[in-house]
Amino acid sequence: MIYREAGQFKTSYASDQAIFPIAQDRWVVVLAVLAAFLVPPLVANEYWLQAILIPFLIYSLAALGLNLLTGYAGQLSLGTGGFMAVGAYAAFKLTTAFPGVNILIVFLIAGIVAAAVGLLFGIPSLRIKGFYLAVATLAAQFFLVWLFNKVAWFSNYASSGTITAPPRTVFGVMVTGPGATASARYVTALALVAVFALAAKNLVRGRVGRSWMAIRDRDIAAEIIGVRPLRTKLLAFGISSFYCGVAGAELVFLYLGSAETLAFDVGLSFLVLFMVIIGGLGSILGSFLGAAFIVLVPIFLTRVPRSVGLDLPVALQKQIELMVFGALIIFFLIVEPNGLARLWQITKEKLRLWPFPH
Amino acid sequence: MVYGILVAPFADMLTNPRFLAEVLIGGVAAGLMYSLVALGFVLIFKASGVFNFAQGVMVLFAALTLVGLMERGVPVALALLLTVAVMVALAIVIERLVLRPLVNQEHIVLFMATIGLTFFLEGFGEMLWGSNVKKLDVGIPDRSFIVAGIQMNQLELSAAGTAAVLVAILAVLFHGTRIGRALRAVADDHEAALSIGIPLKTIWIIVWSVAGIVAIVAGIMWGAKSGVQFSLSLIALKSLPVLILGGFTSVAGAIGGGLIIGVGEKLAEVYWGPLVGGAIENWFAYMLALVFLLFRPQGLFGEKIIERV
């Protein structure tokens, strides 16, 4: 009863193809985005912003990037951490070399640099796929992290080898560096994610996204109907790496503040892959759900046992976390390959018929 | 620079052949360890077409179980038997809970499922047996001796011997027995094998058990060499480029690929590493595999058929 499409008639092709064709969806999303911009900066405390919401937004962006490549174009990548590192180090080099440039533009250029590197490592995908590609992207992961670790130029010859986000402002508000408030960093991350998510949604609905899905589902048939596989796959690598690069830059500038290459090791690649699988392969919403899930599970594991008087040692929490992630991956692959996003869809379908079962 | 890359390392090799030999032996020893992991992987891939990312962590899990049992005072022989039992049980559980529900799915889905398995086993093993580094000692002597002026290690020699014996046993298993024929039939075509009455489920359990036993052997060798610790599962990632070099379906390829990677990365690290600041061992194997993929995707010994677009 609450969720009805009855009476909502579409009179044009455009309205039928809208992102949210049902009014309820549209309003929920608009209100949710508005609320996301307004409520947390006013209500949430430092801990919530810093430990939950900001990492959630950044991981969402990275998951979005990997989902474009793995979920939509069907190319498995284990090199996400490496591409994020490219974005982070590119942003650092750019903003220290040109301090006057707006930090948002720096993020975008860092994303473009990451896209270029992604294209380079995507070239093997022209001849190989699936598991072979996983190894090729692992090569990217280990090589890039080693490169940033060894070549001191990338960290401006810092003796510690870490890169630190310098203070930068957007429209007069400090958004990076130690002086920036959590709210300012949160809003910056949110604005970027909102824009990129909308762009991704439109991308996958359009010609590019449909050609990705065609390649993913049946590559030879796609080639026969005129999708050029080489161009399509490379484009997927480029755009995916762009998203990951921006996410990597944000990770250092808006979340960690300073980082060394250890922050971008192969574990990060797996974490983002888990977000994509649990959230839903081939779903924009799923990238957000998966990121939220992965960010919340460790917090859940610390909070819940403590609230019932059980104090788990940190090591045990870490182990349970690994087991939960592993088991969930298998569970979702078996039971619901479309992840949390599909569960949300099922909920909507049930609401449409509620209170009647059929 | 050009001189440093193209001439100086080779001059070094020629002027100090004894050191070169030691580097080579070190490479062979490391390569054999990679091969042992890759071997278990090849078995599973041959018989079920599953890219088993979890093979590395199975090695770790086997070694942990063995060490854990021995620490609790179980004698070596009994601990070994129990570990074998654990690995067989693990194979049965994996077949029932992971493989059976995912039968007929795409390769990539199964591969991702084994990544999930990797993380689960890592957490599980650490929870059961603790996360500190353990010394594994099953009575293999670890003495060094000198032959013709070259230092050799008894442990490395036994590892080489074990690998050779293991490969011989597997070759007999695959080509001389009924089960081996069934395995090869299943690898060729699941449905055809089913239709002539080969029990697919049993075959899978057997294969995963054998892979588990290979994992125990690899775990013992690794554990004796560098202690049982969780970084083992990362080193196991090295077996992936080994497979690409050797081809996914070839037992000989797993050994050959392992040796090439092991020797290659040691040579690169010792002679070319200093030019770029060292630690190139981390990625050299992957880059080698990447270059290989571009020119000979089926690997050195693999079958010619390869999926590509």
Side-chain angles (χ1 to χ4, degrees), chain A residues 76 127 131-132 136 146 150 219 326, chain B residues 116 248 277-278 283 294 308-309:
Chain A
L76 181 61
R127 295 193 57 183
F131 175 79
Y132 294 84
W146 172 85
K150 279 290 166 208
D219 40 23
Chain B
F248 287 101
W283 52 264
L294 289 174
R308 77 162 74 127
V309 191

Side-chain angles (χ1 to χ4, degrees), chain A residues 82-247:
Chain A
F83 299 132
M84 287 173 77
V86 174
Y89 279 82
F92 175 73
K93 283 305 283 185
L94 283 166
T95 196
T96 45
F98 309 100
V101 179
N102 189 318
I103 192 71
L104 294 181
I105 293 170
V106 168
F107 283 169
L108 292 185
I109 300 175
I112 292 169
V113 173
V117 177
L119 283 179
L120 201 65
F121 280 97
I123 289 173
S125 77
L126 307 182
R127 295 193 57 183
I128 52 178
K129 60 183 184 182
F131 175 79
Y132 294 84
L133 193 57
V135 175
T137 49
L138 267 182
Q141 167 73 46
F142 285 107
F143 178 73
L144 290 170
V145 166
W146 172 85
L147 185 70
F148 296 132
N149 205 11
K150 279 290 166 208
V151 183
W153 180 77
F154 287 111
S155 53
N156 281 353
Y157 303 100
S159 55
S160 57
T162 56
I163 52 172
T164 307
R168 295 284 181 268
T169 56
V170 175
F171 306 125
V173 182
M174 192 77 86
V175 294
T176 72
T181 60
S183 311
R185 282 180 283 137
Y186 167 79
V187 172
T188 315
L190 182 62
L192 282 169
V193 167
V195 171
F196 283 128
L198 189 66
K201 184 79 196 169
N202 277 311
L203 201 64
V204 298
R205 289 179 336 139
R207 183 193 167 84
V208 172
R210 281 178 282 135
S211 62
W212 284 347
M213 288 184 265
I215 289 285
R216 171 194 68 188
D217 291 338
R218 196 60 95 222
D219 40 23
I220 295 172
E223 201 172 350
I224 291 167
I225 61 167
V227 176
R228 278 191 263 172
L230 308 188
R231 236 178 58 172
T232 312
K233 283 189 195 174
L234 272 187
L235 192 64
F237 261 95
I239 293 179
S240 163
S241 310
F242 175 83
Y243 275 71
C244 293
V246 175

Side-chain angles (χ1 to χ4, degrees), chain B residues 50-68:
Chain B
V50 176
F51 294 115
N52 181 25
F53 191 78
Q55 185 66 32
V57 89
M58 277 167 70
V59 170
L60 175 68
F61 191 76
L64 272 179
T65 311
L66 189 61
V67 171

Side-chain angles (χ1 to χ4, degrees), chain A:
Chain A
M1 284 299 218
I2 344 169
Y3 189 82
R4 269 289 152 86
E5 55 195 313
Q8 301 186 18
F9 304 111
K10 281 107 191 169
T11 49
S12 68
Y13 186 70
S15 65
D16 196 40
Q17 292 295 310
I19 298 181
F20 302 108
I22 298 172
Q24 284 93 332
D25 279 347
R26 208 153 44 231
W27 283 110
V28 165
V29 169
V30 168
L31 287 177
V33 171
L34 274 180
F37 269 106
L38 295 176
V39 178
L42 295 174
V43 183
N45 57 23
E46 187 81 13
Y47 170 77
W48 263 85
L49 285 172
Q50 188 59 46
I52 300 174
L53 291 172
I54 292 176
F56 158 67
L57 290 172
I58 293 167
Y59 285 135
S60 299
L61 190 59
L64 210 54
L66 183 63
N67 215 337
L68 291 179
L69 184 65
T70 305
Y72 284 96
Q75 311 287 310
L76 181 61
S77 166
L78 297 178
T80 320
F83 299 132
M84 287 173 77
V86 174
Y89 279 82
F92 175 73
K93 283 305 283 185
L94 283 166
T95 196
T96 45
F98 309 100
V101 179
N102 189 318
I103 192 71
L104 294 181
I105 293 170
V106 168
F107 283 169
L108 292 185
I109 300 175
I112 292 169
V113 173
V117 177
L119 283 179
L120 201 65
F121 280 97
I123 289 173
S125 77
L126 307 182
R127 295 193 57 183
I128 52 178
K129 60 183 184 182
F131 175 79
Y132 294 84
L133 193 57
V135 175
T137 49
L138 267 182
Q141 167 73 46
F142 285 107
F143 178 73
L144 290 170
V145 166
W146 172 85
L147 185 70
F148 296 132
N149 205 11
K150 279 290 166 208
V151 183
W153 180 77
F154 287 111
S155 53
N156 281 353
Y157 303 100
S159 55
S160 57
T162 56
I163 52 172
T164 307
R168 295 284 181 268
T169 56
V170 175
F171 306 125
V173 182
M174 192 77 86
V175 294
T176 72
T181 60
S183 311
R185 282 180 283 137
Y186 167 79
V187 172
T188 315
L190 182 62
L192 282 169
V193 167
V195 171
F196 283 128
L198 189 66
K201 184 79 196 169
N202 277 311
L203 201 64
V204 298
R205 289 179 336 139
R207 183 193 167 84
V208 172
R210 281 178 282 135
S211 62
W212 284 347
M213 288 184 265
I215 289 285
R216 171 194 68 188
D217 291 338
R218 196 60 95 222
D219 40 23
I220 295 172
E223 201 172 350
I224 291 167
I225 61 167
V227 176
R228 278 191 263 172
L230 308 188
R231 236 178 58 172
T232 312
K233 283 189 195 174
L234 272 187
L235 192 64
F237 261 95
I239 293 179
S240 163
S241 310
F242 175 83
Y243 275 71
C244 293
V246 175
E250 283 187 36
L251 190 68
V252 172
F253 279 74
L254 301 179
Y255 175 43
L256 297 174
S258 69
E260 43 187 328
T261 47
L262 202 64
F264 299 101
D265 69 352
V266 70
L268 181 65
S269 299
F270 282 118
L271 204 64
V272 178
L273 180 67
F274 288 179
M275 291 173 197
V276 171
I277 297 176
I278 291 178
L281 283 161
S283 157
I284 300 294
L285 175 69
S287 312
F288 286 91
L289 296 177
F293 193 87
I294 298 277
V295 170
L296 288 176
V297 162
I299 293 166
F300 185 80
L301 283 176
T302 7
R303 289 274 172 103
V304 169
R306 195 176 295 159
S307 68
V308 294
L310 205 68
D311 222 355
L312 296 181
V314 180
L316 186 62
Q317 274 170 30
K318 197 80 207 148
Q319 291 149 15
I320 296 178
E321 198 183 300
L322 281 179
M323 286 172 68
V324 168
F325 285 165
L328 275 172
I329 294 295
I330 298 172
F331 173 82
F332 271 104
L333 285 173
I334 293 171
V335 180
E336 193 54 86
N338 296 319
L340 293 169
R342 175 72 188 139
L343 295 182
W344 170 242
Q345 218 175 347
I346 292 171
T347 315
K348 282 202 299 189
E349 275 158 26
K350 291 253 191 279
L351 275 177
R352 200 171 290 176
L353 298 169
W354 188 82
F356 307 109
H358 298 293

